[in-house]
Amino acid sequence: QVRLVESGGGLVQPGGSLRLSCEASGIIFSDFDMGWYRQTSGKQRELVTVMTRDGTTNSADSVKGRFAISRDNAKNTLSLQILSLKPEDSAVYYCNAKRGAVVVWGKGTLVTVSS
């Protein structure tokens, strides 16, 4: 079965750091474009940062310089290193895998940035 499982979310103070992970199974990981999205209650899901299977990256302007995506094809994992967290970064973060018409989502991990 195809499965994406996120982990690493939690409560962090402003200015803190966090590392999110996504473990994939049931897919040929290296053939998929991978990415992170986030969603707050009442708002539509937005792209955070993505990395294609070719290694090309793209990220939202609001996270450039603070969020770094990486992938380990040998371990079938996707990571997101976050620095200098802001309260507006609070959201449920979702892992995404895409290859053509095939799109897979994880269930998300909650990140809360608060004092």
Side-chain angles (χ1 to χ4, degrees):
Q1 297 293 325
V2 177
R3 189 181 183 192
L4 300 177
V5 181
E6 303 95 335
S7 63
L11 175 62
V12 185
Q13 294 186 344
S17 301
L18 202 62
R19 186 175 181 86
L20 307 183
S21 296
C22 171
E23 182 179 351
S25 59
I27 63 171
I28 303 176
F29 186 81
S30 60
D31 287 345
F32 280 73
D33 299 331
M34 303 295 298
W36 291 97
Y37 293 72
R38 66 186 181 188
Q39 186 172 24
T40 303
S41 296
K43 303 290 290 184
Q44 70 177 25
R45 190 171 301 182
E46 66 174 354
L47 182 149
V48 177
T49 182
V50 297
M51 177 178 284
T52 69
R53 63 175 181 169
D54 297 320
T56 301
T57 60
N58 186 39
S59 60
D61 289 341
S62 61
V63 307
K64 288 181 178 178
R66 299 188 299 116
F67 286 45
I69 189 172
S70 62
R71 62 191 294 166
D72 188 335
N73 289 343
K75 297 182 178 179
N76 289 356
T77 57
L78 181 75
S79 298
L80 181 65
Q81 181 65 57
I82 310 174
L83 305 177
S84 302
L85 279 159
K86 304 175 180 179
E88 51 263 46
D89 293 323
S90 296
V92 176
Y93 284 72
Y94 296 91
C95 180
N96 171 266
K98 182 178 183 296
R99 186 189 181 189
V102 178
V103 180
V104 185
W105 292 97
K107 293 184 178 180
T109 184
L110 177 63
V111 173
T112 303
V113 185
S114 176
S115 299

